Amino acid sequence: YLASDVLIAPFANFWTFAWVTVCVAIASVCIYYFNKKWCLKKLELSTEQSHKVSLTLAVLTAPFLFYFPTGLVYGMLMNW
């Protein structure tokens, strides 16, 4: 039940919204640490600059499309 709501309508109830939000947060944290520890390692940035760049990239590249209700797309394709 939860999995189908997450895929079709992430705003269907509180639990699906919470699950998608936790997944987006985990992905953002992973993006932050990946950028900070691996991607920006060879650049000559201060610790503060590295933190700001990593945080900016994590926020901008977070998978916010997880919130997009794919049920709308499936409905449009089925009616087409």
Side-chain angles (χ1 to χ4, degrees):
Y1 176 71
L2 180 66
S4 65
D5 280 346
V6 167
L7 295 173
I8 303 299
F11 296 108
N13 59 42
F14 171 76
W15 297 111
T16 57
F17 178 75
W19 180 256
V20 171
T21 302
V22 167
C23 291
V24 169
I26 289 171
S28 298
V29 169
C30 291
I31 291 168
Y32 172 80
Y33 281 112
F34 178 74
N35 283 320
K36 188 170 175 82
K37 300 295 182 188
W38 194 70
C39 293
L40 302 175
K41 183 171 59 173
K42 293 186 180 182
L43 294 178
E44 295 178 7
L45 298 174
S46 68
T47 306
E48 181 181 347
Q49 289 174 328
S50 177
H51 170 72
K52 286 181 181 180
V53 171
S54 297
L55 186 61
T56 302
L57 286 171
V59 169
L60 293 178
T61 61
F64 294 117
L65 280 177
F66 285 173
Y67 290 111
F68 186 75
T70 56
L72 294 175
V73 176
Y74 294 141
M76 286 188 289
L77 290 176
M78 298 306 276
N79 292 330
W80 190 36

